Every structure is written in C-alpha cells, then in structure tokens.
Amino acid sequence: MGLPVVHFEISGIEPGKLRDYYAGLFQWRFNPPGNAATTTVAPDGNYHFVEEDSAGINGGVCGGDGYPRRVLFYVGVPDVEQALARAESLGGKRIMGPEPASGSFTVGHFQDPEGNVLGVAGPSA
C-alpha cells in the first residue's frame, strides 16, 4: 500500500484566475484566505483552501507575483527529516524543510532526480 496524499497546493502568478479555473473544472469551492508560509503565498494572504467536501482531500490554491508556478502534492510520512534524507541519498535534492506547518504537521519539499518537486508531511516532533 502506498502512502496517502494528505494535501496539495497549486500555485501560480494569478491565484484568483487559478481558483476560478479549478472551480469551473472540478466544482471546487474555496474557503477564505488562510495562513500559509511566505514560501508559497504572497504576503497579502492570497491563499484559499479547497473545502474538503468539494475536493475529497485538503488542498489550496496560492501564489502571486514572483512565486513559481507548480502543482505540489504532499505525501504522508512518519518522519519528514528521515524522508528528506532518504530522498537525498537516492539522488534527490532537498528544497525546504523540515518546517512546522499549520496545525500539528511538519512539511518538507524535495526535487527528484528529474527535477520534479514533491512534498512530504508528517506529525510534528
């Protein structure tokens, strides 16, 4: 059995347009802006979570001018530091983390050997 996808983020230069696009595509509804790290969202709070009842899993659309475009899925792991270290030992490159996230989670990002970005999330220590 694989590890669960626990969260996703879709970020781009015009998050409002992205929210409209995904709302039209999947009928997603968005909660008001939430707290997020400045690494993924513009300081004006341009982050909206997808409501779980409309998406099935928790996720958000964010970004702003100067933020990279990407689709990032987080995979649940028991230990974020261990997962990042393992990714590096297999030829990946750590980008961020481990860092505390909202609630009781810790997150990290790494690139696989092909340059694709993946997130890992786990319980805070």
Side-chain angles (χ1 to χ4, degrees):
M1 178 193 313
L3 296 169
V5 174
V6 294
H7 178 78
F8 68 90
E9 289 178 353
I10 301 165
S11 69
I13 295 173
E14 297 186 62
K17 287 185 178 180
L18 281 174
R19 283 190 288 277
D20 291 344
Y21 173 81
Y22 284 102
L25 181 63
F26 297 125
Q27 288 75 53
W28 285 352
R29 294 182 309 277
F30 293 93
N31 285 330
N35 294 331
T38 57
T39 57
T40 59
V41 65
D44 62 1
N46 216 351
Y47 194 107
H48 287 234
F49 279 106
V50 176
E51 293 178 359
E52 289 186 45
D53 66 336
S54 67
I57 59 173
N58 192 10
V61 175
C62 57
D65 190 32
Y67 289 84
R69 291 178 228 185
R70 67 172 184 222
V71 176
L72 175 66
F73 288 84
Y74 285 87
V75 176
V77 296
D79 184 314
V80 171
E81 173 57 40
Q82 188 177 51
L84 291 171
R86 180 77 176 143
E88 289 176 306
S89 75
L90 294 171
K93 178 183 174 187
R94 185 183 307 226
I95 297 172
M96 180 193 87
E99 290 188 14
S102 60
S104 59
F105 282 96
T106 299
V107 299
H109 298 170
F110 67 92
Q111 282 183 324
D112 68 15
E114 301 249 342
N116 301 304
V117 177
L118 184 71
V120 289
S124 295

